[in-house]
Amino acid sequence: MQTFERAVLGGLKLDRADLDESSRHVIDLSRSGGGIVVTSNVSISRHLRTVGLPELERETSFWTVDGVPLTWLLRIAGRGRFPRVTGTDLMNAVIEHPAATDLRVGIVGAAATEAETFYRAKGHSHVHGSDLPFAEPGSLALIDAASAFIETVRPDVLFVCLGFPKQERLILELRKRHIDSIVFIGAGAAAQMNTGHFPRAPHLMRRLGLEWVWRMGQDPHRLVKRYLLQDLPWLVGMIPIALAERVRTRRRRTTAAPHSFAEPSRAPESAEESVASERSDRAA
């Protein structure tokens, strides 16, 4: 199984992998014991750093970077370019991957039944979906409904579309009930976006890191407070941490590098050179 470079920034784990590598890794995980995949955006990272979810941090095996601002922080920290992999794109990539046709891919949560119809109409008969009852995080009704879906469908990969941290708390509960080799992925509004409920931002806005502006316009009541009053101040506060990491990275590289003034090593003398050198010394 492929391994990836992992950056740790202020305690946050982020793996360097592009979309193709990420989808391939999800498929590999499904065939080797399962696991949890987190597509880390600013809101998730802020929650993990300020509130914490230790069990999720212990159990998660793969952290993609979902959010252009996080790629900026990684560059400031001197870690170079990390590709962006969103839950929306990862859902499409896994379902459409040629190596996944023999896998059962499940989707539960918002627009899940519509997602099943949507993907099956495109020829992906291995996709199964089920909406979940509206309930509080940790609700037994929510856990039981998702668990019943797993027992019926037996998915190899399960996208849970409820939003963070509700979907991650559900995933942790499902992992306790089902020890099968399932890959759980918290995918937020991925099914809604892929089925057209919430059209995605234009490509240029996504490249410039302005998708959050587009999303605020779609759901201002919920997202204005989160993005402007919670995520943005946290992001600004992370800049000094990224700069400190950049300094530490440079120091480590300087310490590990060989000194430029060290004498170059000489090749061992041949037997003739050794004898000639000894005679010269005697003559002196």
Side-chain angles (χ1 to χ4, degrees), residues 91 95 107-122 124 127-132 149 161 190-198:
M91 178 181 286
I95 289 172
I107 304 171
V108 294
T113 54
E114 290 182 52
E116 176 183 336
T117 303
F118 172 78
Y119 285 112
R120 285 180 174 244
K122 296 175 69 175
H124 304 299
V127 177
H128 308 263
S130 176
D131 296 336
L132 296 177
F149 173 83
C161 303
Q192 292 170 297
M193 288 187 175
N194 287 335
T195 56
H197 273 271
F198 295 134

Side-chain angles (χ1 to χ4, degrees), residues 65-81:
V65 181
D66 175 0
V68 173
L70 292 181
T71 68
W72 295 341
L73 285 178
L74 288 163
R75 287 194 180 192
I76 292 171
R79 300 307 299 261
R81 180 182 176 275

Side-chain angles (χ1 to χ4, degrees), residues 18-86:
D18 62 24
L19 182 60
D20 182 66
E21 292 168 334
S22 298
S23 58
R24 178 74 251 186
H25 191 59
V26 167
I27 294 167
D28 289 343
L29 283 173
S30 72
R31 292 174 173 147
S32 59
I36 297 176
V37 175
V38 172
T39 56
S40 301
N41 58 27
V42 174
S43 296
I44 291 173
S45 300
R46 172 178 56 79
H47 185 99
L48 292 177
R49 184 165 166 79
T50 57
V51 179
L53 196 51
E55 187 177 359
L56 179 69
E57 295 180 60
R58 288 195 306 270
E59 295 290 328
T60 299
S61 53
F62 188 44
W63 305 79
T64 73
V65 181
D66 175 0
V68 173
L70 292 181
T71 68
W72 295 341
L73 285 178
L74 288 163
R75 287 194 180 192
I76 292 171
R79 300 307 299 261
R81 180 182 176 275
F82 272 58
R84 184 187 180 205
V85 178
T86 69

